[in-house]
Amino acid sequence: MKKKIVQTIKLSVVGKPNAGKSTLLNRIFKKKISIVSRKSQTTIKKKTAILSFNSKQFIFLDTPGIFGSTKRLSRSTFKEASNAILDSELVLLILDATKTNLENTSEIIKYIKSLDKEALIIANKLDLLQKKEYLKKIENIQKVLKIKNLITISALKSVGINSLINYIENNYNFSYKEAAKSKNNLISQEFVEEIVREKVLNFIHDEIPYNLQFKTESILKKKDASYLINLS
């Protein structure tokens, strides 16, 4: 059987914790891809999701939140994020547009450049900005980070998502690669464990550590298409 070759771009999604990386992916795919929680560093492992758009293949790598130099990550978490950046052709750097301190974001940009990778800066949470402060915030981000191109979105409200995908398609190079087999629709052990982590982090006290993990013992699909899942 002849292998299908399609134009492909691999994108790592990085940024500070709670910038909206996982929410963005969930909106792009219009379903749950990554878990979301108010607790920092909800994502602790790199995840891959594949989008087919206009006969092209977008491979997204969701990563743990990256801190600037004033914070410390576990070695394994930092390695997950770094490997995703190295494995991608373009880095999507998500920042919270409501924040005023951009020092850590500048550190992340420097780190991305040190790996000889190009970054597209995406300002998220524009829905939380008043019209009067929107332009000031955007101008400040461009000035402090010394950038011209800046994409603004609201991942939560699904504003600017299609424009983002179109911008990437029209402004960055795609290479011909074998079409990957998407696993977005499969119920995997890792996906189940992450969903349980999300619920626990959202409903249990802040004392619960961000690196809380579960183990799937079994997944049984029932006749009514529901699942019986055992975890520990």
Side-chain angles (χ1 to χ4, degrees):
M1 183 176 179
K2 189 176 181 180
K3 295 180 179 179
K4 184 179 180 181
I5 304 299
V6 296
Q7 293 186 68
T8 301
I9 188 169
K10 189 172 287 188
L11 311 146
S12 55
V13 184
V14 306
K16 294 170 63 177
N18 288 340
K21 301 180 299 298
S22 295
T23 301
L24 172 59
L25 278 181
N26 291 341
R27 292 298 183 269
I28 289 174
F29 288 90
K30 298 179 181 179
K31 68 169 115 178
K32 179 77 73 174
I33 295 293
S34 293
I35 67 173
V36 179
S37 170
R38 61 185 173 83
K39 195 174 183 67
S40 295
Q41 288 205 293
T42 303
T43 303
I44 59 175
K45 293 182 179 180
K46 180 182 72 175
K47 300 178 184 65
T48 303
I50 302 166
L51 173 71
S52 293
F53 180 78
N54 286 346
S55 300
K56 295 180 180 179
Q57 183 172 248
F58 296 70
I59 302 177
F60 290 87
L61 307 175
D62 188 20
T63 66
I66 297 180
F67 291 99
S69 59
T70 58
K71 297 281 186 176
R72 300 188 68 181
L73 284 171
S74 69
R75 182 175 298 178
S76 61
T77 302
F78 185 77
K79 184 178 180 180
E80 286 276 354
S82 297
N83 285 344
I85 293 173
L86 288 169
D87 195 30
S88 62
E89 281 94 37
L90 176 65
V91 181
L92 304 183
L93 176 53
I94 316 300
L95 60 86
D96 184 342
T98 66
K99 303 297 184 183
T100 55
N101 187 355
L102 297 171
E103 181 181 351
N104 287 348
T105 302
S106 296
E107 292 295 320
I108 296 174
I109 292 175
K110 289 180 182 177
Y111 181 69
I112 293 171
K113 288 182 177 179
S114 74
L115 298 177
D116 197 28
K117 295 294 180 178
E118 183 177 2
L120 174 61
I121 314 301
I122 302 169
N124 187 28
K125 304 187 182 182
L126 64 85
D127 56 295
L128 299 180
L129 297 175
Q130 299 296 325
K131 289 184 178 179
K132 291 183 178 179
E133 63 177 338
Y134 172 78
L135 289 177
K136 290 182 179 179
K137 286 283 188 180
I138 298 307
E139 289 175 357
N140 182 64
I141 292 172
Q142 291 177 311
K143 180 179 178 181
V144 173
L145 300 182
K146 300 177 182 179
I147 58 174
K148 293 182 179 180
N149 294 331
L150 177 67
I151 305 296
T152 59
I153 66 167
S154 169
L156 186 63
K157 301 294 184 180
S158 297
V159 175
I161 305 300
N162 290 336
S163 296
L164 170 62
I165 300 300
N166 283 316
Y167 183 86
I168 294 171
E169 180 189 17
N170 295 324
N171 291 276
Y172 294 95
N173 294 325
F174 285 67
S175 57
Y176 284 93
K177 295 182 180 179
E178 181 181 348
K181 293 182 179 179
S182 175
K183 297 181 180 180
N184 299 342
N185 295 319
L186 300 182
I187 300 295
S188 66
Q189 291 186 3
E190 181 180 350
F191 182 74
V192 169
E193 291 159 9
E194 288 293 272
I195 292 297
V196 174
R197 281 188 66 247
E198 177 186 53
K199 302 307 178 185
V200 171
L201 292 174
N202 280 335
F203 292 104
I204 297 186
H205 300 297
D206 290 338
E207 287 75 14
I208 297 295
Y210 75 85
N211 58 352
L212 175 72
Q213 296 189 49
F214 295 89
K215 181 180 180 181
T216 304
E217 301 294 343
S218 63
I219 300 177
L220 176 64
K221 188 172 183 178
K222 301 165 68 176
K223 292 182 179 180
D224 62 358
S226 63
Y227 290 87
L228 176 64
I229 301 172
N230 295 312
L231 297 102
S232 60

